[in-house]
């Protein structure tokens, strides 16, 4: 029999708006998979390079580094948020203005190495949207 696909839902997705000179930004969302899975990669037509990043304190300094994958435990919502794990959009092809939306394609690997793609359309939020996000 065919293995059932993990049921993956993405909600509360958004992308931080940029200035004309800015070449990178973050995409944030909440991902829930019905079965144990992993976010392997992401892509977007607005960025030349898209990576999964994590932020953590090392010797009192906030360090950002790329992750080979992000584990999605079965039935648990995994939050990608500013200051934590996030999708990094680099080599941006255009300014991302508030009110626009950014298409993202997430590649999820489920049981037995079965891959599926999840299409997400994330709205762009202004840099200073006053929603309590800390400035970097």
């Amino acid at each position: 029999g065919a293995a059932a696909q993990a049921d993956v839902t993405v909600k509360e997705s958004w992308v931080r708006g940029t200035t004309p000179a800015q070449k990178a930004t973050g995409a944030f969302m909440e991902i829930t998979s019905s079965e144990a899975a992993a976010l392997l990669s992401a892509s977007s037509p607005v960025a030349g390079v898209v990576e999964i990043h994590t932020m953590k304190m090392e010797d009192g300094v906030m360090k950002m580094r790329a992750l080979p994958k992000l584990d999605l435990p079965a039935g648990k919502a995994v939050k990608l948020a500013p200051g934590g794990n996030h999708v990094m959009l680099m080599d941006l092809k255009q300014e991302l203005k508030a009110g626009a939306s950014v298409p993202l394609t997430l590649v999820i690997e489920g049981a037995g190495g079965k891959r599926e793609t999840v299409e997400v359309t994330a709205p762009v939020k202004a840099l200073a949207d006053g929603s309590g996000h800390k400035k970097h």
Side-chain angles (χ1 to χ4, degrees), residues 7-13 27-39 52-54 67 69-82 84-87 106 108:
D7 189 20
V8 177
T9 55
V10 177
K11 60 185 199 187
E12 294 173 29
S13 64
F28 311 99
M29 63 204 76
E30 187 176 292
I31 307 172
T32 308
S33 175
S34 61
E35 300 168 26
L39 173 60
I52 304 160
H53 280 195
T54 186
L67 290 174
K69 66 179 178 143
L70 179 65
D71 289 323
L72 303 171
K76 281 185 97 124
V78 175
K79 219 164 174 47
L80 278 63
N85 295 332
H86 57 279
V87 173
L106 308 179
I108 309 286

